[in-house]
Amino acid sequence: MVARKVLTGARVVLPTGVVEGGRVTVDGRTITGTGAPARPEARPDAPPHPDHQDRARGEPPSTPRHTRPAAEHAVEPTTYAEHPERTERTERTEYDAYTTYPLPPDHWIVPGFVDIHVHGGGGASFSAGTAEEALTVAGTHRRHGTTTMLASTVTGDLDDLAHQASALSELVEQGDLAGLHFEGPFIARNRCGAHEPSLLRDPAPADVRKLVDAARGTARMMTLAPELPGGLESVRLLADQGVIAAVGHTDGSYEATRRAVEAGARVATHLFNAMPGLGHRTPGPVAALLEDERVTVELINDGVHLHPSVLGLALRGAAGRIAFITDAMGAAGMGDGRYPLGPMEVEVRDGVARLVQGGSIAGSTLTLDTAFRRAVTVDGLPVEQAVEAVSATPARLLGLDGRVGSLEPGKDADLVVLDGEFALVGVMRKGDWVVSPELG
């Protein structure tokens, strides 16, 4: 028995473009149809067979069925039958329920967000190394639209990091997380930011391998400074192990960064932050990472980490390769106050996180729904490009684009519903509502 949900009437962002008054059909945990509204002759208690469903063709859509007038903004799902049955050719499908969600025409349906760099949220941290705190972090960000995420650790004692990796790997195996990201301890002292300097170390391949092994196949990314002794060997080791090597918290030169990319590095960790600036004679890592088409560029779009002109420079210089991240710590989804970040203490004032000792920016309190909304309403990014940065590009980087990152039949039913001002009103993960639009 399968529960069918049909979201209709809103703008649907597909890989082929935006469909006005479109439709997304979900059966169980999977998207089974997208595109233009169902044909008017279709019976409400017998949804069209997937072979007959309209797809986006760039044509003006017909009037969607079950769509409420634009002036009405409450969403009232309608369940047509408890057990409707339908036979098509030799196929037979039974539904526990067939429920439509008619959305206002100024609303948007976009793919669930994918965050490849997040440390905490909801007052909890992945670095605690416990399932309870990790699930709190994951739940907090899901309520803000992130349906797929890596658990990012911070610099710590090597044995402690190995313990955290072992504990978090179980949640990856259960499907709660998409993998692990080690940020530190193999980073430059001069660019360590909110990482404890006394725990930093060079990226000896044996130490790198220890953390990868502790993750039991769930390590997806590691940030390191490739100019340090052992750096290039560790980049090659990570590439051989199928783990993404990311260049970050680095004091390396343009030439050193180029060598790292040639060795297999494929991500720029929060570009511009915790690395030398872009110079006209000493371009440094920024230029090397921006110019290489093989590199995915992380950006923290919170209005604090990057000046708008610098953000625009990156968006133009790495078009199609941008992944918006949160780099969020425990205060995300919470209020001002003091929070732990690994062994460090952070104070949040007016939503900005800084170390209590030294005052360095210490991650963010960002959630991806806010990053998305800012991208469109402040930075002027087209909606399709914002979707690319929060969903499609990070999903492709992780090799998960066959399951998530876009709204297409056969993929996981992970989606976000936004209102006309791009505020989040609904989140679905694997076919279940995390935030139901009928309540928002």
Side-chain angles (χ1 to χ4, degrees), residues 55 147 165 180 217 235 283 311 357 395:
R55 300 297 303 273
T147 52
L180 274 60
V235 168
L311 180 77
Q357 298 295 324

Side-chain angles (χ1 to χ4, degrees), residues 161-163 165-167 169 182 209-218:
L161 289 172
H163 172 76
S166 178
S169 68
F182 295 100
R209 183 62 183 262
K210 176 177 180 176
L211 295 185
V212 171
D213 288 347
R216 303 201 308 261
T218 66

Side-chain angles (χ1 to χ4, degrees), residues 158 161-162 165-166 169 180 182 186 205-222 234 237-244:
L158 212 61
L161 289 172
S166 178
S169 68
L180 274 60
F182 295 100
F186 311 117
D207 292 339
V208 170
R209 183 62 183 262
K210 176 177 180 176
L211 295 185
V212 171
D213 288 347
R216 303 201 308 261
T218 66
R220 303 304 293 267
M221 187 161 72
M222 181 179 290
S234 291
L237 169 65
L238 291 169
D240 289 343
Q241 293 294 312
V243 179
I244 300 163

